Amino acid sequence: MLNFHSTLTRKDFLKGIGLAGAGLGAASAVTPMFHDLDELVASTPSTRNLPWFVKEREHGDPTTPIDWSMIQRRPYTWARMDPSLPVYDNLKAIGAPVTRWLDWADKKAEDEILFAKAREEFPGFEPGIDGFGDLRTTALTHASEMFAFGQFPQKMNLGGNMVDLVPAIRAAGGYLGSTDSYAGPKIVHTPEEMGGTKYQGTPEDNLRTLKAGIRYFGGEDVGALELDDNLKKLIFTVDQYGKTLEFGDVEECVETPRQVIIPNKCKYIFLWTMRQPYEWTRRQSGRFEGAATETSYERAYNTKAHFQDFARGLGYQMISAGNNSLSPAGAWAVLGGLGEQSRASYVNHPLYGITLRVTWGFLTDMPLPPSRPIDFGARKFCETCGICAEACPFGAINPGEPTWKDDNAFGNAGFLGWRCDYTKCPHCPICQGTCPFNSHPGSFIHDIVKGTVSTTPVFNSFFKNMEKSFKYGRKNPATWWDEVDDYPYGVDTSY
């Protein structure tokens, strides 16, 4: 289907990085991670299918240092909102806390910057009709937005007339989509409603069951955490729709237009990820070139709703209204071993890199075994790489050292890391397309590179330059239509 292989031989590559012959011993002496095979096997996560080079760390000790004394619960704040997003009008109507509201002139100015960058990168690239980019791509993007962000269509053709559904749904006290509902659709019958009892399994069996369910509906990797006082600090006091989030002695999640009460018995966090299309991620060059992003949001929220009712059918609650409804999207994921924090502020997964569009967490009353943070050299690599910061045309990504400070109104101090200024970030997402960790594992070079990065970071600068030389990163948007025989949904599920 897709050809990702290089013409460089394995022998020449290993010689080039000093990992052939005597060079292997010299490299191992620089930063030895494993002393023998028993230590290697013991370091490999036993309940998750991760590569051999991924090492588990102690609970609560990710590669990004955290000072919990600096972290306090806070309300959610939107960084920015532009009029092309499906939720724009709804958020305007409810007075959502948004740091930067954009209008269509702002959006057009941003896209002009992105188109200029695409012209520079890809000679011959020209925006299509009315400056909206290649019209085929614009059509693909808009078609991907029908249920994006979990929103129902705001208008519907009824009897030949376009009818605004929002007032009627609001007047009836209903939800405008799966983002509004923390408890999920509740269409599925519970075991008790059918005269039975809930599913009974060990915590480990429960996690395997949930993994099978989330993967069936479109998710991929999973993890879990047990809610404690520190993790509770990451739960927002007020969500993105202005609802207060509280805990209480209730049996089921209570939802009103202004309040959500989470049962105290929901003391576990189920974590899951979803990738976005790899080939389109490499080609996005503007809001109207954003098919990879939009189709991922549509799939993710559909997965969320289906999975919540799957858990309900087992007799348990899965509480969340979306990726940012409860907590900063990546924080729980890093603590639960779904990746390391990257310079671009995304979670960097050992298999998928930063092409993750979803790293979500559900609060649940289903007992689960906590998973541990992981280390595969990603943070160390980011320290010497910075390709994403160099590529960002808006200067949104920190090109310098990680810091404890956070000047963003929507951000949070308390961790030593990089922070993206999302008021400047239009979700193009050029940074995702350039990250070396996104490279498809069909190339043996990147399998070796990732393994070497995890054990021998002395080669990180070399690998950064090699990434640029082999041009595994950004691609011309127009080439997808003629050169790529892509996978269904744009995702290769064989890895």
Side-chain angles (χ1 to χ4, degrees):
M1 186 173 278
L2 301 176
N3 185 4
F4 296 95
H5 296 277
S6 167
T7 57
L8 182 67
T9 69
R10 184 185 298 264
K11 181 178 179 182
D12 289 341
F13 174 75
L14 293 175
K15 282 184 177 180
I17 63 173
L19 291 182
L24 180 58
S28 299
V30 178
T31 52
M33 177 178 273
F34 308 118
H35 298 91
D36 53 39
L37 287 178
D38 288 337
E39 185 177 342
L40 169 61
V41 172
S43 75
T44 304
S46 58
T47 58
R48 301 173 59 210
N49 299 323
L50 292 175
W52 64 269
F53 53 81
V54 177
K55 184 173 182 177
E56 284 189 313
R57 296 168 66 90
E58 293 300 317
H59 289 294
D61 181 34
T63 54
T64 296
I66 300 174
D67 183 349
W68 288 104
S69 67
M70 298 175 64
I71 300 176
Q72 301 297 325
R73 288 190 67 189
R74 61 181 181 83
Y76 180 90
T77 302
W78 290 89
R80 54 174 274 147
M81 187 56 52
D82 72 68
S84 63
L85 293 175
V87 296
Y88 186 91
D89 290 335
N90 287 342
L91 293 178
K92 272 279 193 182
I94 65 175
V98 176
T99 301
R100 182 187 176 202
W101 290 97
L102 283 74
D103 57 26
W104 284 107
D106 297 324
K107 197 67 221 144
K108 184 173 180 59
E110 284 185 344
D111 273 359
E112 282 302 324
I113 293 173
L114 292 166
F115 292 146
K117 184 174 179 63
R119 292 187 192 101
E120 177 184 339
E121 287 184 297
F122 314 120
F125 172 86
E126 279 298 329
I129 297 174
D130 298 324
F132 286 145
D134 182 272
L135 189 57
R136 296 172 298 179
T137 307
T138 302
L140 192 70
T141 300
H142 286 172
S144 301
E145 292 178 336
M146 184 177 295
F147 294 100
F149 297 95
Q151 295 288 294
F152 300 146
Q154 306 301 290
K155 296 182 179 181
M156 187 171 290
N157 191 325
L158 299 177
N161 298 312
M162 294 301 294
V163 178
D164 188 350
L165 303 179
V166 174
I169 293 174
R170 280 201 176 124
Y175 298 117
L176 297 175
S178 61
T179 55
D180 298 273
S181 173
Y182 279 78
K186 290 189 176 183
I187 296 173
V188 169
H189 293 295
T190 66
E192 292 81 0
E193 289 172 342
M194 296 187 292
T197 57
K198 67 175 56 179
Y199 178 82
Q200 303 289 337
T202 65
E204 291 74 19
D205 179 56
N206 290 343
L207 184 58
R208 284 191 292 270
T209 299
L210 295 183
K211 178 179 180 179
I214 200 73
R215 288 181 65 84
Y216 180 81
F217 290 117
E220 304 203 47
D221 199 9
V222 303
L225 292 167
E226 188 166 357
L227 192 64
D228 59 21
D229 289 340
N230 282 335
L231 293 179
K232 271 192 175 182
K233 292 181 179 181
L234 298 176
I235 296 176
F236 295 119
T237 55
V238 180
D239 75 359
Q240 68 264 53
Y241 294 102
K243 297 180 181 180
T244 59
L245 302 179
E246 303 173 11
F247 285 84
D249 290 324
V250 294
E251 279 301 306
E252 291 192 5
C253 179
V254 176
E255 300 179 73
T256 72
R258 304 305 299 174
Q259 183 187 44
V260 176
I261 303 177
I262 302 165
N264 284 323
K265 66 179 181 178
C266 292
K267 56 183 180 179
Y268 302 94
I269 306 170
F270 174 68
L271 307 165
W272 61 287
T273 68
M274 176 183 279
R275 278 181 284 173
Q276 64 187 31
Y278 172 71
E279 287 296 325
W280 256 123
T281 297
R282 304 171 75 192
R283 288 167 169 81
Q284 289 192 198
S285 295
R287 177 71 183 87
F288 294 101
E289 306 273 325
T293 300
E294 298 307 316
T295 194
S296 297
Y297 278 125
E298 178 173 356
R299 291 182 59 225
Y301 281 103
N302 285 337
T303 296
K304 166 199 173 292
H306 284 296
F307 182 75
Q308 283 178 297
D309 261 15
F310 165 67
R312 177 177 171 83
L314 297 175
Y316 297 93
Q317 300 177 70
M318 287 285 165
I319 299 172
S320 177
N323 60 336
N324 285 324
S325 62
L326 289 173
S327 168
W332 282 347
V334 169
L335 288 162
L338 296 184
E340 297 183 58
Q341 193 220 12
S342 69
R343 179 182 291 274
S345 292
Y346 287 94
V347 175
N348 191 346
H349 189 279
L351 287 178
Y352 318 134
I354 65 170
T355 56
L356 294 179
R357 178 47 54 185
V358 168
T359 54
W360 289 3
F362 291 112
L363 290 175
T364 181
D365 52 352
M366 190 179 206
L368 300 172
S371 47
R372 291 155 59 183
I374 60 174
D375 181 356
F376 58 100
R379 179 182 171 88
K380 273 290 184 184
F381 189 86
C382 285
E383 289 177 358
T384 55
C385 180
I387 288 178
C388 60
E390 296 168 6
C392 178
F394 301 98
I397 300 173
N398 177 12
E401 298 296 318
T403 176
W404 291 98
K405 188 177 181 182
D406 195 333
D407 294 326
N408 297 314
F410 50 85
N412 210 336
F415 66 92
L416 183 61
W418 298 278
R419 292 163 176 81
C420 178
D421 184 350
Y422 284 106
T423 62
K424 300 177 181 177
C425 170
H427 290 78
C428 40
I430 287 174
C431 59
Q432 287 184 305
T434 61
C435 179
F437 275 89
N438 295 347
S439 302
H440 196 284
S443 166
F444 83 85
I445 286 180
H446 281 86
D447 293 339
I448 295 175
V449 165
K450 288 181 179 180
T452 306
V453 163
S454 69
T455 58
T456 317
V458 71
F459 294 116
N460 284 356
S461 294
F462 170 81
F463 289 147
K464 171 189 175 181
N465 294 329
M466 188 191 77
E467 175 73 17
K468 289 186 174 181
S469 298
F470 277 83
K471 300 186 184 301
Y472 282 110
R474 295 266 298 149
K475 296 292 182 182
N476 188 330
T479 61
W480 186 81
W481 300 96
D482 302 317
E483 298 179 10
V484 178
D485 182 14
D486 215 340
Y487 300 97
Y489 293 113
V491 176
D492 177 5
T493 58
S494 66
Y495 73 103

